PDB file of all heavy atoms in Angstrom:
ATOM      1  N   SER A  15     107.485  37.122 -61.433  1.00  0.00           N
ATOM      2  CA  SER A  15     108.278  36.263 -62.223  1.00  0.00           C
ATOM      3  C   SER A  15     109.655  35.913 -61.388  1.00  0.00           C
ATOM      4  O   SER A  15     110.330  36.958 -61.069  1.00  0.00           O
ATOM      5  CB  SER A  15     108.659  37.028 -63.537  1.00  0.00           C
ATOM      6  OG  SER A  15     109.550  36.218 -64.242  1.00  0.00           O
ATOM      7  N   GLN A  16     109.987  34.581 -61.168  1.00  0.00           N
ATOM      8  CA  GLN A  16     111.253  34.361 -60.540  1.00  0.00           C
ATOM      9  C   GLN A  16     112.336  34.827 -61.318  1.00  0.00           C
ATOM     10  O   GLN A  16     112.586  34.712 -62.461  1.00  0.00           O
ATOM     11  CB  GLN A  16     111.280  32.859 -60.243  1.00  0.00           C
ATOM     12  CG  GLN A  16     112.587  32.347 -59.570  1.00  0.00           C
ATOM     13  CD  GLN A  16     112.625  30.911 -59.457  1.00  0.00           C
ATOM     14  OE1 GLN A  16     111.708  30.204 -59.454  1.00  0.00           O
ATOM     15  NE2 GLN A  16     113.823  30.347 -59.533  1.00  0.00           N
ATOM     16  N   PRO A  17     113.323  35.557 -60.520  1.00  0.00           N
ATOM     17  CA  PRO A  17     114.557  36.159 -61.339  1.00  0.00           C
ATOM     18  C   PRO A  17     115.278  35.048 -62.112  1.00  0.00           C
ATOM     19  O   PRO A  17     115.677  33.947 -61.601  1.00  0.00           O
ATOM     20  CB  PRO A  17     115.356  36.641 -60.233  1.00  0.00           C
ATOM     21  CG  PRO A  17     114.405  37.022 -59.065  1.00  0.00           C
ATOM     22  CD  PRO A  17     113.359  35.878 -59.149  1.00  0.00           C
ATOM     23  N   GLY A  18     115.428  35.362 -63.430  1.00  0.00           N
ATOM     24  CA  GLY A  18     116.235  34.481 -64.317  1.00  0.00           C
ATOM     25  C   GLY A  18     115.529  33.350 -64.734  1.00  0.00           C
ATOM     26  O   GLY A  18     115.497  32.983 -65.848  1.00  0.00           O
ATOM     27  N   LYS A  19     114.789  32.546 -63.858  1.00  0.00           N
ATOM     28  CA  LYS A  19     113.985  31.341 -64.185  1.00  0.00           C
ATOM     29  C   LYS A  19     112.616  31.495 -64.712  1.00  0.00           C
ATOM     30  O   LYS A  19     112.061  30.793 -65.318  1.00  0.00           O
ATOM     31  CB  LYS A  19     113.991  30.398 -62.986  1.00  0.00           C
ATOM     32  CG  LYS A  19     115.366  29.977 -62.476  1.00  0.00           C
ATOM     33  CD  LYS A  19     116.041  29.043 -63.475  1.00  0.00           C
ATOM     34  CE  LYS A  19     115.342  27.696 -63.707  1.00  0.00           C
ATOM     35  NZ  LYS A  19     116.029  26.847 -64.610  1.00  0.00           N
ATOM     36  N   HIS A  20     111.949  32.712 -64.321  1.00  0.00           N
ATOM     37  CA  HIS A  20     110.719  33.129 -64.702  1.00  0.00           C
ATOM     38  C   HIS A  20     109.470  32.308 -64.260  1.00  0.00           C
ATOM     39  O   HIS A  20     108.351  32.482 -64.866  1.00  0.00           O
ATOM     40  CB  HIS A  20     110.712  33.404 -66.182  1.00  0.00           C
ATOM     41  CG  HIS A  20     111.948  34.089 -66.774  1.00  0.00           C
ATOM     42  ND1 HIS A  20     112.694  33.519 -67.628  1.00  0.00           N
ATOM     43  CD2 HIS A  20     112.510  35.277 -66.228  1.00  0.00           C
ATOM     44  CE1 HIS A  20     113.833  34.440 -67.878  1.00  0.00           C
ATOM     45  NE2 HIS A  20     113.589  35.408 -66.990  1.00  0.00           N
ATOM     46  N   ALA A  21     109.630  31.406 -63.428  1.00  0.00           N
ATOM     47  CA  ALA A  21     108.280  30.821 -62.825  1.00  0.00           C
ATOM     48  C   ALA A  21     107.371  31.940 -62.413  1.00  0.00           C
ATOM     49  O   ALA A  21     107.875  32.885 -61.854  1.00  0.00           O
ATOM     50  CB  ALA A  21     108.686  29.803 -61.574  1.00  0.00           C
ATOM     51  N   MET A  22     106.119  31.652 -62.660  1.00  0.00           N
ATOM     52  CA  MET A  22     105.066  32.690 -62.284  1.00  0.00           C
ATOM     53  C   MET A  22     104.432  32.322 -60.929  1.00  0.00           C
ATOM     54  O   MET A  22     103.813  31.332 -60.776  1.00  0.00           O
ATOM     55  CB  MET A  22     104.069  32.677 -63.447  1.00  0.00           C
ATOM     56  CG  MET A  22     104.638  33.166 -64.748  1.00  0.00           C
ATOM     57  SD  MET A  22     105.140  34.912 -64.674  1.00  0.00           S
ATOM     58  CE  MET A  22     105.625  35.088 -66.408  1.00  0.00           C
ATOM     59  N   LEU A  23     104.572  33.295 -60.006  1.00  0.00           N
ATOM     60  CA  LEU A  23     104.246  33.103 -58.570  1.00  0.00           C
ATOM     61  C   LEU A  23     103.383  34.132 -58.077  1.00  0.00           C
ATOM     62  O   LEU A  23     103.530  35.320 -58.445  1.00  0.00           O
ATOM     63  CB  LEU A  23     105.333  32.759 -57.738  1.00  0.00           C
ATOM     64  CG  LEU A  23     106.233  31.548 -58.015  1.00  0.00           C
ATOM     65  CD1 LEU A  23     107.659  31.619 -57.525  1.00  0.00           C
ATOM     66  CD2 LEU A  23     105.490  30.331 -57.540  1.00  0.00           C
ATOM     67  N   ALA A  24     102.487  33.792 -57.109  1.00  0.00           N
ATOM     68  CA  ALA A  24     101.610  34.807 -56.548  1.00  0.00           C
ATOM     69  C   ALA A  24     102.187  35.816 -55.639  1.00  0.00           C
ATOM     70  O   ALA A  24     101.742  36.852 -55.390  1.00  0.00           O
ATOM     71  CB  ALA A  24     100.522  34.001 -55.723  1.00  0.00           C
ATOM     72  N   ALA A  25     103.470  35.478 -55.049  1.00  0.00           N
ATOM     73  CA  ALA A  25     104.172  36.359 -54.138  1.00  0.00           C
ATOM     74  C   ALA A  25     105.726  36.085 -54.161  1.00  0.00           C
ATOM     75  O   ALA A  25     106.015  34.936 -54.314  1.00  0.00           O
ATOM     76  CB  ALA A  25     103.625  36.203 -52.803  1.00  0.00           C
ATOM     77  N   PRO A  26     106.473  37.043 -53.958  1.00  0.00           N
ATOM     78  CA  PRO A  26     107.994  36.980 -54.073  1.00  0.00           C
ATOM     79  C   PRO A  26     108.391  36.039 -53.048  1.00  0.00           C
ATOM     80  O   PRO A  26     109.307  35.255 -53.283  1.00  0.00           O
ATOM     81  CB  PRO A  26     108.455  38.281 -53.859  1.00  0.00           C
ATOM     82  CG  PRO A  26     107.384  39.156 -54.378  1.00  0.00           C
ATOM     83  CD  PRO A  26     106.061  38.597 -53.995  1.00  0.00           C
ATOM     84  N   ARG A  27     107.722  35.859 -51.832  1.00  0.00           N
ATOM     85  CA  ARG A  27     108.258  35.053 -50.763  1.00  0.00           C
ATOM     86  C   ARG A  27     108.280  33.585 -51.133  1.00  0.00           C
ATOM     87  O   ARG A  27     109.070  32.778 -50.633  1.00  0.00           O
ATOM     88  CB  ARG A  27     107.489  35.283 -49.463  1.00  0.00           C
ATOM     89  CG  ARG A  27     106.024  34.812 -49.560  1.00  0.00           C
ATOM     90  CD  ARG A  27     105.293  35.099 -48.239  1.00  0.00           C
ATOM     91  NE  ARG A  27     103.834  34.636 -48.228  1.00  0.00           N
ATOM     92  CZ  ARG A  27     102.886  35.327 -48.719  1.00  0.00           C
ATOM     93  NH1 ARG A  27     103.035  36.543 -49.188  1.00  0.00           N
ATOM     94  NH2 ARG A  27     101.659  34.943 -48.658  1.00  0.00           N
ATOM     95  N   LEU A  28     107.354  33.230 -52.097  1.00  0.00           N
ATOM     96  CA  LEU A  28     107.232  31.805 -52.515  1.00  0.00           C
ATOM     97  C   LEU A  28     108.571  31.394 -53.303  1.00  0.00           C
ATOM     98  O   LEU A  28     108.861  30.322 -53.375  1.00  0.00           O
ATOM     99  CB  LEU A  28     106.076  31.509 -53.324  1.00  0.00           C
ATOM    100  CG  LEU A  28     104.714  31.955 -52.617  1.00  0.00           C
ATOM    101  CD1 LEU A  28     103.584  31.720 -53.593  1.00  0.00           C
ATOM    102  CD2 LEU A  28     104.428  30.865 -51.467  1.00  0.00           C
ATOM    103  N   MET A  29     109.258  32.372 -53.779  1.00  0.00           N
ATOM    104  CA  MET A  29     110.436  32.122 -54.698  1.00  0.00           C
ATOM    105  C   MET A  29     111.477  31.372 -53.693  1.00  0.00           C
ATOM    106  O   MET A  29     112.455  30.633 -54.239  1.00  0.00           O
ATOM    107  CB  MET A  29     111.055  33.220 -55.355  1.00  0.00           C
ATOM    108  CG  MET A  29     110.011  33.876 -56.326  1.00  0.00           C
ATOM    109  SD  MET A  29     110.613  35.361 -56.998  1.00  0.00           S
ATOM    110  CE  MET A  29     109.081  35.942 -57.891  1.00  0.00           C
ATOM    111  N   PHE A  30     111.528  31.686 -52.508  1.00  0.00           N
ATOM    112  CA  PHE A  30     112.584  31.164 -51.630  1.00  0.00           C
ATOM    113  C   PHE A  30     112.399  29.648 -51.377  1.00  0.00           C
ATOM    114  O   PHE A  30     113.283  28.982 -50.710  1.00  0.00           O
ATOM    115  CB  PHE A  30     112.577  31.926 -50.299  1.00  0.00           C
ATOM    116  CG  PHE A  30     113.172  33.233 -50.411  1.00  0.00           C
ATOM    117  CD1 PHE A  30     112.272  34.365 -50.588  1.00  0.00           C
ATOM    118  CD2 PHE A  30     114.461  33.433 -50.497  1.00  0.00           C
ATOM    119  CE1 PHE A  30     112.711  35.595 -50.925  1.00  0.00           C
ATOM    120  CE2 PHE A  30     114.996  34.853 -50.663  1.00  0.00           C
ATOM    121  CZ  PHE A  30     114.094  35.932 -50.756  1.00  0.00           C
ATOM    122  N   LEU A  31     111.267  29.058 -51.858  1.00  0.00           N
ATOM    123  CA  LEU A  31     111.078  27.533 -51.735  1.00  0.00           C
ATOM    124  C   LEU A  31     112.038  26.858 -52.759  1.00  0.00           C
ATOM    125  O   LEU A  31     112.290  25.689 -52.616  1.00  0.00           O
ATOM    126  CB  LEU A  31     109.754  27.280 -52.026  1.00  0.00           C
ATOM    127  CG  LEU A  31     108.606  27.675 -51.018  1.00  0.00           C
ATOM    128  CD1 LEU A  31     107.201  27.474 -51.618  1.00  0.00           C
ATOM    129  CD2 LEU A  31     108.756  26.938 -49.745  1.00  0.00           C
ATOM    130  N   TYR A  32     112.536  27.690 -53.760  1.00  0.00           N
ATOM    131  CA  TYR A  32     113.343  27.010 -54.768  1.00  0.00           C
ATOM    132  C   TYR A  32     114.804  27.020 -54.243  1.00  0.00           C
ATOM    133  O   TYR A  32     115.321  28.137 -53.971  1.00  0.00           O
ATOM    134  CB  TYR A  32     113.238  27.936 -56.055  1.00  0.00           C
ATOM    135  CG  TYR A  32     113.911  27.145 -57.241  1.00  0.00           C
ATOM    136  CD1 TYR A  32     113.403  26.092 -57.812  1.00  0.00           C
ATOM    137  CD2 TYR A  32     115.003  27.919 -57.859  1.00  0.00           C
ATOM    138  CE1 TYR A  32     114.017  25.603 -58.845  1.00  0.00           C
ATOM    139  CE2 TYR A  32     115.701  27.224 -59.005  1.00  0.00           C
ATOM    140  CZ  TYR A  32     115.113  26.210 -59.511  1.00  0.00           C
ATOM    141  OH  TYR A  32     115.775  25.550 -60.617  1.00  0.00           O
ATOM    142  N   PRO A  33     115.435  25.879 -54.111  1.00  0.00           N
ATOM    143  CA  PRO A  33     116.746  25.870 -53.439  1.00  0.00           C
ATOM    144  C   PRO A  33     117.842  26.578 -54.110  1.00  0.00           C
ATOM    145  O   PRO A  33     118.789  26.951 -53.494  1.00  0.00           O
ATOM    146  CB  PRO A  33     117.092  24.366 -53.407  1.00  0.00           C
ATOM    147  CG  PRO A  33     115.796  23.631 -53.593  1.00  0.00           C
ATOM    148  CD  PRO A  33     114.862  24.575 -54.378  1.00  0.00           C
ATOM    149  N   GLU A  34     117.752  26.756 -55.390  1.00  0.00           N
ATOM    150  CA  GLU A  34     118.818  27.458 -56.231  1.00  0.00           C
ATOM    151  C   GLU A  34     118.505  28.858 -56.709  1.00  0.00           C
ATOM    152  O   GLU A  34     118.768  29.313 -57.844  1.00  0.00           O
ATOM    153  CB  GLU A  34     119.272  26.547 -57.434  1.00  0.00           C
ATOM    154  CG  GLU A  34     119.846  25.203 -56.854  1.00  0.00           C
ATOM    155  CD  GLU A  34     120.010  24.176 -57.997  1.00  0.00           C
ATOM    156  OE1 GLU A  34     119.514  24.343 -59.130  1.00  0.00           O
ATOM    157  OE2 GLU A  34     120.752  23.208 -57.795  1.00  0.00           O
ATOM    158  N   LEU A  35     117.644  29.567 -55.937  1.00  0.00           N
ATOM    159  CA  LEU A  35     117.123  30.775 -56.368  1.00  0.00           C
ATOM    160  C   LEU A  35     118.256  31.658 -56.696  1.00  0.00           C
ATOM    161  O   LEU A  35     118.165  32.456 -57.857  1.00  0.00           O
ATOM    162  CB  LEU A  35     116.404  31.386 -55.150  1.00  0.00           C
ATOM    163  CG  LEU A  35     115.796  32.887 -55.319  1.00  0.00           C
ATOM    164  CD1 LEU A  35     114.876  32.943 -56.363  1.00  0.00           C
ATOM    165  CD2 LEU A  35     115.137  33.425 -54.004  1.00  0.00           C
ATOM    166  N   TYR A  36     119.288  31.823 -56.014  1.00  0.00           N
ATOM    167  CA  TYR A  36     120.449  32.760 -56.386  1.00  0.00           C
ATOM    168  C   TYR A  36     121.321  32.011 -57.106  1.00  0.00           C
ATOM    169  O   TYR A  36     121.980  32.624 -58.003  1.00  0.00           O
ATOM    170  CB  TYR A  36     121.059  33.265 -55.096  1.00  0.00           C
ATOM    171  CG  TYR A  36     120.190  34.269 -54.385  1.00  0.00           C
ATOM    172  CD1 TYR A  36     119.402  33.898 -53.214  1.00  0.00           C
ATOM    173  CD2 TYR A  36     120.202  35.601 -54.771  1.00  0.00           C
ATOM    174  CE1 TYR A  36     118.587  34.863 -52.697  1.00  0.00           C
ATOM    175  CE2 TYR A  36     119.419  36.547 -54.087  1.00  0.00           C
ATOM    176  CZ  TYR A  36     118.572  36.212 -53.149  1.00  0.00           C
ATOM    177  OH  TYR A  36     117.834  37.167 -52.440  1.00  0.00           O
ATOM    178  N   GLU A  37     121.672  30.680 -56.839  1.00  0.00           N
ATOM    179  CA  GLU A  37     122.840  29.935 -57.573  1.00  0.00           C
ATOM    180  C   GLU A  37     122.449  29.891 -59.047  1.00  0.00           C
ATOM    181  O   GLU A  37     123.306  29.808 -59.894  1.00  0.00           O
ATOM    182  CB  GLU A  37     122.969  28.618 -56.870  1.00  0.00           C
ATOM    183  CG  GLU A  37     123.540  28.649 -55.586  1.00  0.00           C
ATOM    184  CD  GLU A  37     124.860  29.385 -55.502  1.00  0.00           C
ATOM    185  OE1 GLU A  37     125.887  28.708 -56.130  1.00  0.00           O
ATOM    186  OE2 GLU A  37     125.141  30.164 -54.693  1.00  0.00           O
ATOM    187  N   SER A  38     121.230  29.723 -59.362  1.00  0.00           N
ATOM    188  CA  SER A  38     120.832  29.458 -60.695  1.00  0.00           C
ATOM    189  C   SER A  38     121.133  30.693 -61.638  1.00  0.00           C
ATOM    190  O   SER A  38     121.331  30.609 -62.834  1.00  0.00           O
ATOM    191  CB  SER A  38     119.417  29.113 -60.973  1.00  0.00           C
ATOM    192  OG  SER A  38     118.549  30.277 -60.420  1.00  0.00           O
ATOM    193  N   CYS A  39     121.153  31.884 -60.983  1.00  0.00           N
ATOM    194  CA  CYS A  39     121.476  33.122 -61.632  1.00  0.00           C
ATOM    195  C   CYS A  39     122.903  33.514 -61.923  1.00  0.00           C
ATOM    196  O   CYS A  39     123.297  34.488 -62.461  1.00  0.00           O
ATOM    197  CB  CYS A  39     120.774  34.230 -61.067  1.00  0.00           C
ATOM    198  SG  CYS A  39     118.922  34.084 -61.120  1.00  0.00           S
ATOM    199  N   GLN A  40     123.747  32.656 -61.024  1.00  0.00           N
ATOM    200  CA  GLN A  40     125.239  32.984 -61.012  1.00  0.00           C
ATOM    201  C   GLN A  40     126.004  31.711 -61.302  1.00  0.00           C
ATOM    202  O   GLN A  40     126.246  31.400 -62.481  1.00  0.00           O
ATOM    203  CB  GLN A  40     125.555  33.478 -59.667  1.00  0.00           C
ATOM    204  CG  GLN A  40     124.826  34.796 -59.325  1.00  0.00           C
ATOM    205  CD  GLN A  40     124.844  35.126 -57.862  1.00  0.00           C
ATOM    206  OE1 GLN A  40     125.974  35.511 -57.393  1.00  0.00           O
ATOM    207  NE2 GLN A  40     123.762  34.908 -57.063  1.00  0.00           N
ATOM    208  N   ARG A  41     126.472  30.838 -60.318  1.00  0.00           N
ATOM    209  CA  ARG A  41     127.183  29.792 -60.511  1.00  0.00           C
ATOM    210  C   ARG A  41     126.686  28.798 -61.618  1.00  0.00           C
ATOM    211  O   ARG A  41     127.381  28.054 -62.276  1.00  0.00           O
ATOM    212  CB  ARG A  41     127.457  29.127 -59.266  1.00  0.00           C
ATOM    213  CG  ARG A  41     128.404  27.807 -59.262  1.00  0.00           C
ATOM    214  CD  ARG A  41     128.499  27.280 -57.884  1.00  0.00           C
ATOM    215  NE  ARG A  41     127.336  26.889 -57.202  1.00  0.00           N
ATOM    216  CZ  ARG A  41     126.840  25.690 -57.255  1.00  0.00           C
ATOM    217  NH1 ARG A  41     127.243  24.777 -58.024  1.00  0.00           N
ATOM    218  NH2 ARG A  41     125.733  25.431 -56.647  1.00  0.00           N
ATOM    219  N   LEU A  42     125.298  28.578 -61.547  1.00  0.00           N
ATOM    220  CA  LEU A  42     124.652  27.576 -62.427  1.00  0.00           C
ATOM    221  C   LEU A  42     124.127  28.219 -63.684  1.00  0.00           C
ATOM    222  O   LEU A  42     123.338  27.571 -64.353  1.00  0.00           O
ATOM    223  CB  LEU A  42     123.721  26.789 -61.623  1.00  0.00           C
ATOM    224  CG  LEU A  42     124.198  26.062 -60.331  1.00  0.00           C
ATOM    225  CD1 LEU A  42     123.035  25.447 -59.725  1.00  0.00           C
ATOM    226  CD2 LEU A  42     125.225  25.109 -60.788  1.00  0.00           C
ATOM    227  N   ALA A  43     124.465  29.465 -63.965  1.00  0.00           N
ATOM    228  CA  ALA A  43     123.953  30.111 -65.252  1.00  0.00           C
ATOM    229  C   ALA A  43     124.322  29.355 -66.557  1.00  0.00           C
ATOM    230  O   ALA A  43     125.559  28.964 -66.664  1.00  0.00           O
ATOM    231  CB  ALA A  43     124.325  31.522 -65.259  1.00  0.00           C
ATOM    232  N   GLY A  44     123.354  29.058 -67.423  1.00  0.00           N
ATOM    233  CA  GLY A  44     123.804  28.576 -68.765  1.00  0.00           C
ATOM    234  C   GLY A  44     123.920  27.091 -68.751  1.00  0.00           C
ATOM    235  O   GLY A  44     124.151  26.636 -69.856  1.00  0.00           O
ATOM    236  N   ILE A  45     123.886  26.361 -67.639  1.00  0.00           N
ATOM    237  CA  ILE A  45     124.308  25.073 -67.618  1.00  0.00           C
ATOM    238  C   ILE A  45     123.737  24.091 -68.647  1.00  0.00           C
ATOM    239  O   ILE A  45     124.251  22.997 -69.003  1.00  0.00           O
ATOM    240  CB  ILE A  45     124.205  24.363 -66.214  1.00  0.00           C
ATOM    241  CG1 ILE A  45     122.754  24.304 -65.692  1.00  0.00           C
ATOM    242  CG2 ILE A  45     125.112  25.154 -65.243  1.00  0.00           C
ATOM    243  CD1 ILE A  45     122.496  23.535 -64.402  1.00  0.00           C
ATOM    244  N   SER A  46     122.460  24.399 -69.067  1.00  0.00           N
ATOM    245  CA  SER A  46     121.848  23.447 -69.917  1.00  0.00           C
ATOM    246  C   SER A  46     121.925  23.695 -71.387  1.00  0.00           C
ATOM    247  O   SER A  46     121.447  22.959 -72.272  1.00  0.00           O
ATOM    248  CB  SER A  46     120.316  23.407 -69.586  1.00  0.00           C
ATOM    249  OG  SER A  46     120.087  22.840 -68.212  1.00  0.00           O
ATOM    250  N   GLY A  47     122.469  24.894 -71.691  1.00  0.00           N
ATOM    251  CA  GLY A  47     122.768  25.222 -73.158  1.00  0.00           C
ATOM    252  C   GLY A  47     121.271  25.384 -73.902  1.00  0.00           C
ATOM    253  O   GLY A  47     120.456  26.052 -73.311  1.00  0.00           O
ATOM    254  N   LEU A  48     121.237  24.860 -75.110  1.00  0.00           N
ATOM    255  CA  LEU A  48     120.050  24.768 -75.825  1.00  0.00           C
ATOM    256  C   LEU A  48     119.127  23.718 -75.253  1.00  0.00           C
ATOM    257  O   LEU A  48     119.420  22.500 -75.252  1.00  0.00           O
ATOM    258  CB  LEU A  48     120.384  24.547 -77.345  1.00  0.00           C
ATOM    259  CG  LEU A  48     118.960  24.381 -78.182  1.00  0.00           C
ATOM    260  CD1 LEU A  48     118.138  25.525 -77.968  1.00  0.00           C
ATOM    261  CD2 LEU A  48     119.296  23.979 -79.535  1.00  0.00           C
ATOM    262  N   ASP A  49     117.985  24.122 -74.695  1.00  0.00           N
ATOM    263  CA  ASP A  49     117.135  23.174 -74.015  1.00  0.00           C
ATOM    264  C   ASP A  49     115.658  23.516 -74.423  1.00  0.00           C
ATOM    265  O   ASP A  49     115.096  24.393 -73.646  1.00  0.00           O
ATOM    266  CB  ASP A  49     117.350  23.241 -72.474  1.00  0.00           C
ATOM    267  CG  ASP A  49     116.444  22.009 -71.868  1.00  0.00           C
ATOM    268  OD1 ASP A  49     115.918  21.178 -72.499  1.00  0.00           O
ATOM    269  OD2 ASP A  49     116.290  22.094 -70.570  1.00  0.00           O
ATOM    270  N   ALA A  50     115.155  22.927 -75.419  1.00  0.00           N
ATOM    271  CA  ALA A  50     113.745  23.213 -75.896  1.00  0.00           C
ATOM    272  C   ALA A  50     113.098  21.913 -76.324  1.00  0.00           C
ATOM    273  O   ALA A  50     113.765  20.968 -76.781  1.00  0.00           O
ATOM    274  CB  ALA A  50     113.944  24.169 -77.158  1.00  0.00           C
ATOM    275  N   PRO A  51     111.823  21.810 -76.285  1.00  0.00           N
ATOM    276  CA  PRO A  51     111.221  20.660 -76.762  1.00  0.00           C
ATOM    277  C   PRO A  51     111.443  20.380 -78.310  1.00  0.00           C
ATOM    278  O   PRO A  51     111.676  21.249 -78.965  1.00  0.00           O
ATOM    279  CB  PRO A  51     109.618  21.047 -76.670  1.00  0.00           C
ATOM    280  CG  PRO A  51     109.620  22.154 -75.671  1.00  0.00           C
ATOM    281  CD  PRO A  51     110.948  22.923 -75.825  1.00  0.00           C
TER     282      PRO A  51
END
């Protein structure tokens, strides 16, 4: 499970394809507020 974002991947190394892997958990945390269908 990708940290914070929880995308389900076969291996941790694949998470580094996501540009905001670390930023989403810190600087960009919470930016969307309530976001549900």
Side-chain angles (χ1 to χ4, degrees):
S15 175
Q16 180 183 330
K19 297 292 293 178
H20 312 128
M22 296 294 185
L23 294 158
R27 67 181 182 273
L28 299 177
M29 296 174 190
F30 289 94
L31 293 172
Y32 190 69
E34 297 169 348
L35 176 61
Y36 289 96
E37 293 297 306
S38 62
C39 296
Q40 300 164 75
R41 179 176 61 88
L42 301 176
I45 59 171
S46 298
L48 171 59
D49 186 11

